[in-house]
Amino acid sequence: MSGGLEWWQTAIVIVLLICILVGTLPVINTGLQFLSLPMHAFRNHYARAAPYHPNVAVIIPAWNEGMVIGPAIERLLQLEYPVEKLRIFVVDDASTDDTPDIVRAKAAAYPGRVAHLRREVGGQGKAHTLNHGLDIALADPWTEAVLIMDADVIFARDSLRKLTRHLADEKVGAVTAYIAEGSRDRNYLTRFIGVEYVIGQLSSRRTQNVLGAIACLAGGAQLHSRVNLEAIGGRIPTGTLAEDTMTTFEGQLKGRRAVFEPHAVVLAEEPRTIDGLWKQRLRWARGNVQLTSIYRHLWFRPSPDHKLGSFSFGLAWFTILLMPAFMVLAAAALLTLLIFHADIANFVFRFMWISAACIYLFSMLYSVQLDGRIGRHSWREAIMFPGLGALILMAIALFPWALEGIVREMGGTVTDQTRFVWAVIFYLWGPISMLGVWLARSVEKLPGGRFFAGLLLYICGYGSLLCAITVDSYIKEWRRADASWIKTEKIGRVDS
């Protein structure tokens, strides 16, 4: 319909435009995030940081980590940190492989520096394992700070001292490092993850530093002052799949700041299959859904004691948590607008995707230069991060005449019916791409399926994969599915 509108049609169009605006909040928030990112050069914690070397107890939860625990301990012992101020506690969660033997051998080789703590009854989850170590570490007055890490990560030699310098400020309770994808046998998925970590950590956590509130201390590398841990009860919260995030929230709610240190680099091994990544991220996503309910009285309620209730933090949290819902809302509203007024729908579609193209180009170019290694090894995945389908839509929005020209050059004809079918597919691309990556997970397990799974991911986009996992988390939480902690298998593929 391209003529004049009745009043009720005008009202419907306005409502649809509002729905589309709401549905594009994730894109708007991304743009705002990257516009504020340069402020990190001026609003950061370095002015209050100073050389500081507290006594650090390192706690490593370990269940069947025989392939990775040895190199992790060796690298910790080689850190540029005073020898007498670092002790390593490996909490063996009833491992059934050679983990106990390896850790006992390290403890014998480095008496007083490495300790093996055995739990005979394991399987209760990471938080319970960490609490076993915290009970012992905090019982000793020697402990002034605690570094919680995963068994598979490899710390850069200067990383710990870069973390501890922020604890020189008594107002800081916790510091987290930059977890970088560090597999030496990279494949397409680990390269995508590397790009994701540059965007989600080096970029977004810098912005969180500027805003004064950190959403999550990386589980593989989080440093706490003793007083920060004692303020939250001396234990990691249990009963949620996002114990890292809940610990981060609790420390800030108790009045101490959390800081992201982008120059403290920690290499981690990440899943090489979509199914493996899905299981890992499903746990994270379900944990965030749980925390959204737990802290329901916190959102959008500013407080002088912390920044977690600020509008900016709440906007960032919910645009990630509800991104699939926003995507479906925008698609449904745009498709309905097509029926009421095709010309307006076409204008809005072009405006949305031109804006998305500008934000994508700016954010990706800004992000990848923050970590040159990722820029060199994963430039293809950086280009294809939104997916080939989204890139085509960006091109069509910028050059709307090109598609029809190509079809005519190939001898085809373009009718109003053809344009309508195209519009329906274009407008529904967001939900379609989520279904595509869901299919990718299914075909991956079939003979030759990894090739087709990778092809689908390049077409549909890595962001759509994360959205599909979030949808699965909604379903699992609604069905009250089993929430037991599932360990991500690690086999020692990190460059050391």
Side-chain angles (χ1 to χ4, degrees):
M1 183 181 299
S2 57
L5 296 178
E6 298 290 343
W7 68 268
W8 59 271
Q9 292 174 318
T10 302
I12 291 176
V13 168
I14 292 173
V15 170
L16 291 172
L17 290 175
I18 293 173
C19 290
I20 293 171
L21 178 63
V22 172
T24 56
L25 278 176
V27 177
I28 295 172
N29 180 68
T30 300
L32 293 174
Q33 170 186 308
F34 279 91
L35 286 175
S36 63
L37 186 54
M39 289 297 297
H40 191 258
F42 309 98
R43 295 192 60 180
N44 54 59
H45 187 256
Y46 294 116
R48 292 177 292 280
Y52 180 56
H53 303 94
N55 296 331
V56 177
V58 183
I59 299 181
I60 310 175
W63 178 73
N64 288 357
E65 306 280 6
M67 301 186 72
V68 296
I69 191 64
I73 294 174
E74 288 292 338
R75 175 50 68 95
L76 285 171
L77 294 169
Q78 297 168 15
L79 291 178
E80 298 172 358
Y81 202 80
V83 172
E84 71 280 3
K85 290 182 172 292
L86 187 68
R87 295 178 184 174
I88 302 168
F89 298 87
V90 179
V91 186
D92 173 11
D93 195 41
S95 295
T96 56
D97 66 349
D98 59 350
T99 296
D101 297 331
I102 294 173
V103 178
R104 279 194 288 263
K106 296 295 182 184
Y110 304 99
R113 300 188 65 193
V114 179
H116 175 236
L117 308 178
R118 174 76 175 180
R119 296 186 76 213
E120 296 301 331
V121 179
Q124 295 176 302
K126 183 178 179 181
H128 289 278
T129 306
L130 289 172
N131 286 334
H132 182 82
L134 282 174
D135 288 342
I136 295 172
L138 294 179
D140 188 344
W142 176 90
T143 302
E144 296 174 328
V146 174
L147 175 65
I148 294 173
M149 60 173 280
D150 290 336
D152 65 292
V153 301
I154 298 296
F155 277 68
R157 296 181 189 277
D158 62 354
S159 53
L160 181 55
R161 61 181 175 83
K162 287 183 175 179
L163 292 173
T164 58
R165 60 183 173 177
H166 294 283
L167 295 185
D169 179 4
E170 293 183 355
K171 294 181 180 179
V172 173
V175 192
T176 191
Y178 164 43
I179 304 291
E181 207 295 318
S183 302
R184 56 178 173 268
D185 55 342
R186 301 178 184 89
N187 70 351
Y188 75 94
L189 188 60
T190 61
R191 291 193 295 269
F192 268 122
I193 295 171
V195 176
E196 176 202 359
Y197 282 0
V198 169
I199 297 171
Q201 294 186 60
L202 281 183
S203 297
S204 67
R205 286 183 180 166
R206 273 182 164 98
T207 301
Q208 291 172 19
N209 274 347
V210 172
L211 298 176
I214 297 292
C216 181
L217 299 167
Q222 50 179 280
L223 178 71
H224 296 267
S225 68
R226 182 188 186 99
V227 291
N228 189 62
L229 288 171
E230 290 177 341
I232 64 174
R235 303 179 68 77
I236 302 298
T238 58
T240 173
L241 291 173
E243 71 282 340
D244 303 328
T245 307
M246 192 167 183
T247 303
T248 308
F249 274 41
E250 287 299 312
Q252 292 172 99
L253 289 173
K254 294 299 187 294
R256 287 181 175 80
R257 184 177 177 182
V259 173
F260 169 61
E261 173 48 79
H263 302 294
V265 180
V266 178
L267 300 179
E269 176 183 338
E270 299 298 338
R272 290 174 54 84
T273 65
I274 292 176
D275 185 64
L277 180 69
W278 195 293
K279 292 175 181 177
Q280 179 196 67
R281 300 307 176 83
L282 179 62
R283 184 175 73 247
W284 298 2
R286 289 188 65 185
N288 288 338
V289 172
Q290 294 165 1
L291 291 189
T292 302
S293 176
I294 291 172
Y295 293 105
R296 57 187 176 275
H297 301 301
L298 172 68
W299 307 115
F300 302 107
R301 289 177 171 84
S303 169
D305 301 321
H306 58 81
K307 301 293 185 180
L308 297 177
S310 66
F311 177 82
S312 57
F313 186 83
L315 177 64
W317 179 273
F318 281 98
T319 51
I320 294 174
L321 181 77
L322 300 177
M323 189 176 292
F326 286 131
M327 185 184 295
V328 172
L329 176 64
L334 194 57
L335 184 61
T336 306
L337 185 60
L338 175 67
I339 298 171
F340 278 90
H341 204 298
D343 291 341
I344 295 178
N346 181 61
F347 171 80
V348 172
F349 166 80
R350 289 194 61 203
F351 181 81
M352 286 171 54
W353 281 99
I354 290 174
S355 300
C358 293
I359 293 172
Y360 156 68
L361 287 172
F362 177 70
S363 61
M364 193 59 69
L365 289 173
Y366 198 119
S367 294
V368 295
Q369 57 85 28
L370 294 174
D371 186 340
R373 184 181 62 93
I374 296 300
R376 291 190 301 272
H377 297 305
S378 305
W379 61 269
R380 296 179 188 84
E381 286 69 30
I383 294 173
M384 298 299 293
F385 198 81
L388 179 61
L391 293 176
I392 291 174
L393 293 184
M394 293 176 191
I396 290 173
L398 288 165
F399 312 105
W401 60 87
L403 180 60
E404 292 190 12
I406 292 172
V407 172
R408 291 193 177 98
E409 284 292 327
M410 297 176 63
T413 58
V414 180
T415 64
D416 289 341
Q417 184 178 7
T418 303
R419 294 189 185 94
F420 182 82
V421 173
W422 285 352
V424 171
I425 296 173
F426 297 163
Y427 295 178
L428 293 180
W429 176 248
I432 290 172
S433 65
M434 284 195 287
L435 293 175
V437 293
W438 215 301
L439 177 63
R441 185 193 184 193
S442 300
V443 303
E444 184 181 52
K445 303 173 184 178
L446 302 176
R450 288 197 176 185
F451 170 79
F452 292 103
L455 181 62
L456 282 169
L457 185 57
Y458 277 106
I459 293 173
C460 297
Y462 188 83
S464 294
L465 171 62
L466 299 181
C467 284
I469 294 171
T470 302
V471 171
D472 197 17
S473 75
Y474 299 162
I475 296 171
K476 293 292 193 301
E477 282 300 296
W478 177 66
R479 295 175 58 186
R480 299 179 182 272
D482 177 45
S484 58
W485 185 74
I486 301 174
K487 175 181 174 290
T488 303
E489 183 180 6
K490 305 293 176 70
I491 58 174
R493 297 175 8 251
V494 177
D495 276 321
S496 59

